[in-house]
Amino acid sequence: MSSTATDVTPAIPTFKELALSEPLQRVLAEVGYESPSPIQAATIPHLIDGKDLLGQAQTGTGKTAAFALPILNRLDLRKTRPQALVLAPTRELAIQVAEAFQRYATHIPGFHVLPIYGGQAYGPQLAGLRRGVHVVVGTPGRVIDHLERGSLDLSELTCLVLDEADEMLRMGFIDDVEAVLKKTPPTRQIALFSATMPTQIRRIAQTHLREPVEITIKSKTTTAAKTRQRYWLVSGMHKLDALTRILEAEPFDAMIIFARTKVATEELAERLQARGLAAAAINGDLAQAQRERAIQQLKDGKLDILVATDVAARGLDVERISHVLNYDIPYDTESYVHRIGRTGRAGREGDAILFVTPRERNMLRQIERATRQPIEIMELPSVQTVNDLRITRFKDRITTALAASDLGLFRSLIEQYEAEHDVPAIEIAAALARLAQGDKPLLLEAKAKPERREFDPTASRERKDFANRSERGRDERPHRAERSERPRADRPPHPRAARTEAFSNPAEDGRKRVPETREPRAHAASEHRPAEPGMETFRVEVGHMHGVKPGNIVGAIANEAELDSKHIGRITIREDHSLVDLPEGMPPEILQHLKKAWVAGQRLRISRGTAGEPHGERDEATGQRGPRAPRTGAKPKHFARSGGGHDKPRKKY
Ligand code: AMP
């Protein structure tokens, strides 16, 4: 195979430098991506040029956008036959990739993507294909089925992506992949992504790819000897609560917290400020002078925490930084090493803490390999530890106040009060302590249930991984069976598939409101049915990964929109977002208000419709995907605040 090997260099271009169309630039700014990840920077120009590509990259590196953006960049929306096909090993990945396409295509009206995978009835897939789609994302077995049935026409295909090729190999799909490859027009471009490059994958590349550009992210082995590295596996509680516990219990001088997007840096800094911490955000939107001012304030001790993106923290050298906290895992090991290099300056010792979601464990392994250092698992400070510290601090405040010399006036006031009201001094002291504490509870409340552990640190990683892999394999391996229309009740749903659950709001039918433990409907693994008449589907940016429960969403919407919970309809919780049905005609000011509401440590950022949903039905009249837009002029029945002029919605329900 003749190939050009391109190593990712640290000089990352901006998205503006990549020749992406205006709607894509706009959405990237909106989702807050500051700069392309290394794999995106290396890949996008070649894919735009129409070259074949062999990319060594895994989940977490930003590879989905690396292929989705160039595909979206050159679609011909007038065509109804698929122009791009992405093959993915599992239905979860297929759904995620389809969601990513939909999200990046927010400003490309009329764009359609369809996920097709085993385990789902053929009906909706056939209907979707008949209606016409621009991009299909599918698991190999089901794609072959559609090819054999003649329902999938690849004659106009210009790009084929093989995503997680080594996983497809491991799961026994490689023959299917080759079969699909043979059914594509010889002129199509191929992008093959794989975390590893076993010989069979190389062979496929040699046989089917034409002079591919080969992209690998070189992991330099670097050590950061003076830095103690720990990770917390995100489970049982959302990241923001975990962060606040760490900030309370971990002695630190100054800290840099790394988040992936500009939006996230701002939101986090805002949350920390609200909790009384001296925190500020730095990201690429700040002018150089503002960034320098924030850094100077960190040096001077006026700020203790900077929440930063990788770009903004480049070259930051402040001796006080004792801790680096990776709130979002970096895309690659190089960034990790750069990030943790912000601490342990001038010969001092430093601490690095990494939040890792279960999906990101592979990246953790890779970081350990590249830095040749194990990263210790970290237990979050317990409620007891945090409370003991709070009590100690509270007592310290009393000691400091007692040491002040000007207590005379207060002493005589207390004496007077004691005499006038016949109340012992201890009671008066308790009342004053209560006043000093204000509305915020002094102590954290212990949870009734033990925190859910998704990970047993005593079990070996390999064993755990193997268990995960075999679970995953079980999901798709019997792919021959997947070609029949039999109901698949005999097959357990994939653990991750079960994470896309649909719930009905029990308050709808007058029962007790929103129990936290509502069971998912067995048949509704990933569907969010079109909203019922009079209702509209909304998307909120909080999902399983944030630990949200349906009750949290109902609670927030009911409170913030002052909407009786019985008007809140079906809720579907997905990995990183959820869908909720609400009465049609929500007034814009309530929508604005709800956008800013917090649930499970996230802003709701509610938006109309099912953008990003693979299953949105198309409205025959308008051709739009997702539920109908509210009728203009329709009286918004359930919302009191429809005409503006009120700061708060009027209480009507
Ligand atoms: P992937 O490796 O494609 O699964 O992407 C991992 C995560 O990184 C996803 O949540 C993306 O939304 C996010 N992401 C991808 N590209 C960027 C970028 N350039 N800046 C910030 N976040 C990104």
Side-chain angles (χ1 to χ4, degrees), residues 15 32-37 40 58-65 104 260-261 331 359:
F15 274 117
Y33 291 2
E34 194 163 68
S35 57
S37 72
Q40 291 163 1
Q58 60 182 18
T59 308
T61 50
K63 70 175 159 55
T64 315
Y104 298 135
R260 270 203 169 175
T261 63
Y331 311 111
R359 278 186 69 217

mmCIF file of all heavy atoms in Angstrom, residues 15 32-37 40 58-65 104 260-261 331 359, ligand 1:
data_model
loop_
_atom_site.group_PDB
_atom_site.id
_atom_site.type_symbol
_atom_site.label_atom_id
_atom_site.label_comp_id
_atom_site.label_asym_id
_atom_site.label_seq_id
_atom_site.Cartn_x
_atom_site.Cartn_y
_atom_site.Cartn_z
ATOM 1 N N PHE A 15 -10.731 25.960 13.679
ATOM 2 C CA PHE A 15 -11.764 25.433 12.786
ATOM 3 C C PHE A 15 -11.901 26.327 11.565
ATOM 4 O O PHE A 15 -12.196 25.860 10.475
ATOM 5 C CB PHE A 15 -13.095 25.312 13.525
ATOM 6 C CG PHE A 15 -13.249 24.022 14.277
ATOM 7 C CD1 PHE A 15 -13.377 24.003 15.654
ATOM 8 C CD2 PHE A 15 -13.255 22.810 13.606
ATOM 9 C CE1 PHE A 15 -13.526 22.808 16.351
ATOM 10 C CE2 PHE A 15 -13.398 21.605 14.286
ATOM 11 C CZ PHE A 15 -13.534 21.615 15.662
ATOM 12 N N GLY A 32 -19.562 25.103 21.211
ATOM 13 C CA GLY A 32 -18.450 25.550 22.051
ATOM 14 C C GLY A 32 -17.150 24.807 21.811
ATOM 15 O O GLY A 32 -16.271 24.831 22.651
ATOM 16 N N TYR A 33 -17.023 24.144 20.651
ATOM 17 C CA TYR A 33 -15.726 23.526 20.359
ATOM 18 C C TYR A 33 -14.759 24.660 20.036
ATOM 19 O O TYR A 33 -15.014 25.464 19.150
ATOM 20 C CB TYR A 33 -15.796 22.599 19.142
ATOM 21 C CG TYR A 33 -16.590 21.338 19.335
ATOM 22 C CD1 TYR A 33 -17.254 21.054 20.521
ATOM 23 C CD2 TYR A 33 -16.667 20.403 18.299
ATOM 24 C CE1 TYR A 33 -17.980 19.882 20.665
ATOM 25 C CE2 TYR A 33 -17.391 19.229 18.445
ATOM 26 C CZ TYR A 33 -18.053 18.981 19.628
ATOM 27 O OH TYR A 33 -18.767 17.834 19.754
ATOM 28 N N GLU A 34 -13.665 24.677 20.732
ATOM 29 C CA GLU A 34 -12.761 25.812 20.579
ATOM 30 C C GLU A 34 -11.797 25.609 19.418
ATOM 31 O O GLU A 34 -11.537 26.495 18.621
ATOM 32 C CB GLU A 34 -11.986 25.984 21.867
ATOM 33 C CG GLU A 34 -11.284 27.282 21.947
ATOM 34 C CD GLU A 34 -10.897 27.541 23.379
ATOM 35 O OE1 GLU A 34 -10.043 26.823 23.885
ATOM 36 O OE2 GLU A 34 -11.472 28.445 23.976
ATOM 37 N N SER A 35 -11.238 24.416 19.357
ATOM 38 C CA SER A 35 -10.324 24.124 18.248
ATOM 39 C C SER A 35 -10.477 22.652 17.907
ATOM 40 O O SER A 35 -10.978 21.870 18.712
ATOM 41 C CB SER A 35 -8.896 24.437 18.658
ATOM 42 O OG SER A 35 -8.585 23.694 19.806
ATOM 43 N N PRO A 36 -10.034 22.274 16.706
ATOM 44 C CA PRO A 36 -10.154 20.865 16.340
ATOM 45 C C PRO A 36 -9.290 20.006 17.255
ATOM 46 O O PRO A 36 -8.227 20.446 17.674
ATOM 47 C CB PRO A 36 -9.616 20.820 14.909
ATOM 48 C CG PRO A 36 -9.494 22.229 14.458
ATOM 49 C CD PRO A 36 -9.415 23.090 15.658
ATOM 50 N N SER A 37 -9.750 18.805 17.563
ATOM 51 C CA SER A 37 -8.906 17.881 18.315
ATOM 52 C C SER A 37 -7.798 17.427 17.351
ATOM 53 O O SER A 37 -7.934 17.580 16.130
ATOM 54 C CB SER A 37 -9.732 16.705 18.806
ATOM 55 O OG SER A 37 -10.073 15.873 17.726
ATOM 56 N N GLN A 40 -8.961 15.483 14.436
ATOM 57 C CA GLN A 40 -9.769 16.293 13.504
ATOM 58 C C GLN A 40 -8.867 17.171 12.642
ATOM 59 O O GLN A 40 -9.049 17.266 11.428
ATOM 60 C CB GLN A 40 -10.747 17.171 14.282
ATOM 61 C CG GLN A 40 -11.854 16.368 14.969
ATOM 62 C CD GLN A 40 -12.578 17.132 16.055
ATOM 63 O OE1 GLN A 40 -12.281 18.295 16.316
ATOM 64 N NE2 GLN A 40 -13.513 16.475 16.717
ATOM 65 N N GLN A 58 -9.437 6.260 18.707
ATOM 66 C CA GLN A 58 -10.494 5.574 19.447
ATOM 67 C C GLN A 58 -11.504 6.564 20.006
ATOM 68 O O GLN A 58 -11.357 7.769 19.826
ATOM 69 C CB GLN A 58 -9.884 4.747 20.553
ATOM 70 C CG GLN A 58 -9.109 5.626 21.510
ATOM 71 C CD GLN A 58 -8.438 4.835 22.601
ATOM 72 O OE1 GLN A 58 -8.278 3.637 22.479
ATOM 73 N NE2 GLN A 58 -8.063 5.520 23.648
ATOM 74 N N THR A 59 -12.487 6.024 20.673
ATOM 75 C CA THR A 59 -13.527 6.865 21.273
ATOM 76 C C THR A 59 -12.893 7.894 22.196
ATOM 77 O O THR A 59 -11.968 7.572 22.922
ATOM 78 C CB THR A 59 -14.485 5.973 22.092
ATOM 79 O OG1 THR A 59 -14.912 4.942 21.259
ATOM 80 C CG2 THR A 59 -15.662 6.767 22.601
ATOM 81 N N GLY A 60 -13.397 9.093 22.130
ATOM 82 C CA GLY A 60 -12.887 10.132 23.029
ATOM 83 C C GLY A 60 -11.909 11.062 22.344
ATOM 84 O O GLY A 60 -11.548 12.097 22.876
ATOM 85 N N THR A 61 -11.474 10.700 21.125
ATOM 86 C CA THR A 61 -10.500 11.541 20.439
ATOM 87 C C THR A 61 -11.187 12.588 19.560
ATOM 88 O O THR A 61 -10.532 13.453 19.004
ATOM 89 C CB THR A 61 -9.594 10.687 19.534
ATOM 90 O OG1 THR A 61 -10.450 9.870 18.736
ATOM 91 C CG2 THR A 61 -8.659 9.810 20.337
ATOM 92 N N GLY A 62 -12.495 12.472 19.424
ATOM 93 C CA GLY A 62 -13.229 13.395 18.559
ATOM 94 C C GLY A 62 -13.305 12.870 17.131
ATOM 95 O O GLY A 62 -13.536 13.621 16.186
ATOM 96 N N LYS A 63 -13.176 11.549 16.970
ATOM 97 C CA LYS A 63 -13.126 11.006 15.604
ATOM 98 C C LYS A 63 -14.473 11.110 14.885
ATOM 99 O O LYS A 63 -14.518 11.191 13.666
ATOM 100 C CB LYS A 63 -12.600 9.571 15.596
ATOM 101 C CG LYS A 63 -13.564 8.574 16.202
ATOM 102 C CD LYS A 63 -13.049 7.181 16.048
ATOM 103 C CE LYS A 63 -13.679 6.226 17.031
ATOM 104 N NZ LYS A 63 -15.136 6.151 17.049
ATOM 105 N N THR A 64 -15.579 11.128 15.652
ATOM 106 C CA THR A 64 -16.876 11.187 14.976
ATOM 107 C C THR A 64 -16.981 12.479 14.162
ATOM 108 O O THR A 64 -17.348 12.457 12.986
ATOM 109 C CB THR A 64 -18.023 11.110 16.004
ATOM 110 O OG1 THR A 64 -17.708 10.078 16.936
ATOM 111 C CG2 THR A 64 -19.344 10.836 15.347
ATOM 112 N N ALA A 65 -16.635 13.596 14.803
ATOM 113 C CA ALA A 65 -16.678 14.869 14.068
ATOM 114 C C ALA A 65 -15.635 14.855 12.954
ATOM 115 O O ALA A 65 -15.845 15.468 11.901
ATOM 116 C CB ALA A 65 -16.423 16.030 15.013
ATOM 117 N N TYR A 104 -24.474 18.147 14.321
ATOM 118 C CA TYR A 104 -23.597 19.000 13.505
ATOM 119 C C TYR A 104 -24.365 19.592 12.321
ATOM 120 O O TYR A 104 -23.943 20.581 11.726
ATOM 121 C CB TYR A 104 -22.369 18.225 13.017
ATOM 122 C CG TYR A 104 -21.484 17.723 14.151
ATOM 123 C CD1 TYR A 104 -20.983 16.420 14.160
ATOM 124 C CD2 TYR A 104 -21.154 18.551 15.220
ATOM 125 C CE1 TYR A 104 -20.191 15.961 15.208
ATOM 126 C CE2 TYR A 104 -20.367 18.094 16.272
ATOM 127 C CZ TYR A 104 -19.896 16.800 16.260
ATOM 128 O OH TYR A 104 -19.117 16.346 17.293
ATOM 129 N N ARG A 260 -13.900 20.638 28.300
ATOM 130 C CA ARG A 260 -13.694 20.534 26.844
ATOM 131 C C ARG A 260 -14.146 21.745 26.062
ATOM 132 O O ARG A 260 -13.539 22.097 25.070
ATOM 133 C CB ARG A 260 -14.441 19.317 26.304
ATOM 134 C CG ARG A 260 -13.583 18.122 26.343
ATOM 135 C CD ARG A 260 -14.020 17.071 25.379
ATOM 136 N NE ARG A 260 -12.938 16.093 25.349
ATOM 137 C CZ ARG A 260 -12.965 14.967 24.701
ATOM 138 N NH1 ARG A 260 -14.024 14.641 24.022
ATOM 139 N NH2 ARG A 260 -11.932 14.178 24.717
ATOM 140 N N THR A 261 -15.250 22.329 26.468
ATOM 141 C CA THR A 261 -15.790 23.397 25.631
ATOM 142 C C THR A 261 -15.795 24.730 26.374
ATOM 143 O O THR A 261 -15.759 24.770 27.595
ATOM 144 C CB THR A 261 -17.239 23.075 25.187
ATOM 145 O OG1 THR A 261 -18.038 23.001 26.350
ATOM 146 C CG2 THR A 261 -17.328 21.782 24.424
ATOM 147 N N TYR A 331 -8.445 14.678 24.808
ATOM 148 C CA TYR A 331 -8.606 13.835 23.614
ATOM 149 C C TYR A 331 -7.466 12.864 23.443
ATOM 150 O O TYR A 331 -7.579 11.869 22.766
ATOM 151 C CB TYR A 331 -8.572 14.646 22.310
ATOM 152 C CG TYR A 331 -9.427 15.836 22.282
ATOM 153 C CD1 TYR A 331 -8.865 17.097 22.282
ATOM 154 C CD2 TYR A 331 -10.794 15.703 22.207
ATOM 155 C CE1 TYR A 331 -9.654 18.211 22.225
ATOM 156 C CE2 TYR A 331 -11.579 16.820 22.149
ATOM 157 C CZ TYR A 331 -11.006 18.073 22.165
ATOM 158 O OH TYR A 331 -11.780 19.168 22.106
ATOM 159 N N ARG A 359 -17.368 5.009 29.749
ATOM 160 C CA ARG A 359 -17.038 4.905 28.314
ATOM 161 C C ARG A 359 -15.591 5.271 28.013
ATOM 162 O O ARG A 359 -15.061 4.952 26.967
ATOM 163 C CB ARG A 359 -17.919 5.873 27.509
ATOM 164 C CG ARG A 359 -19.273 5.396 27.193
ATOM 165 C CD ARG A 359 -19.938 6.413 26.279
ATOM 166 N NE ARG A 359 -19.333 6.437 24.968
ATOM 167 C CZ ARG A 359 -19.157 7.552 24.252
ATOM 168 N NH1 ARG A 359 -19.527 8.714 24.730
ATOM 169 N NH2 ARG A 359 -18.611 7.494 23.064
HETATM 170 P P1 AMP B 1 -15.763 10.976 19.961
HETATM 171 O O1 AMP B 1 -14.319 10.577 20.097
HETATM 172 O O2 AMP B 1 -16.131 11.270 18.572
HETATM 173 O O3 AMP B 1 -16.662 9.980 20.656
HETATM 174 O O4 AMP B 1 -15.944 12.389 20.744
HETATM 175 C C1 AMP B 1 -15.762 12.506 22.130
HETATM 176 C C2 AMP B 1 -16.403 13.765 22.693
HETATM 177 O O5 AMP B 1 -15.630 14.907 22.347
HETATM 178 C C3 AMP B 1 -17.807 14.044 22.224
HETATM 179 O O6 AMP B 1 -18.572 14.349 23.375
HETATM 180 C C4 AMP B 1 -17.698 15.279 21.353
HETATM 181 O O7 AMP B 1 -18.840 16.099 21.478
HETATM 182 C C5 AMP B 1 -16.482 15.973 21.929
HETATM 183 N N1 AMP B 1 -15.713 16.720 20.920
HETATM 184 C C6 AMP B 1 -15.403 16.315 19.675
HETATM 185 N N2 AMP B 1 -14.647 17.262 19.042
HETATM 186 C C7 AMP B 1 -14.483 18.268 19.922
HETATM 187 C C8 AMP B 1 -13.787 19.533 19.866
HETATM 188 N N3 AMP B 1 -13.106 19.900 18.791
HETATM 189 N N4 AMP B 1 -13.827 20.318 20.963
HETATM 190 C C9 AMP B 1 -14.513 19.928 22.078
HETATM 191 N N5 AMP B 1 -15.170 18.755 22.201
HETATM 192 C C10 AMP B 1 -15.158 17.930 21.132
#
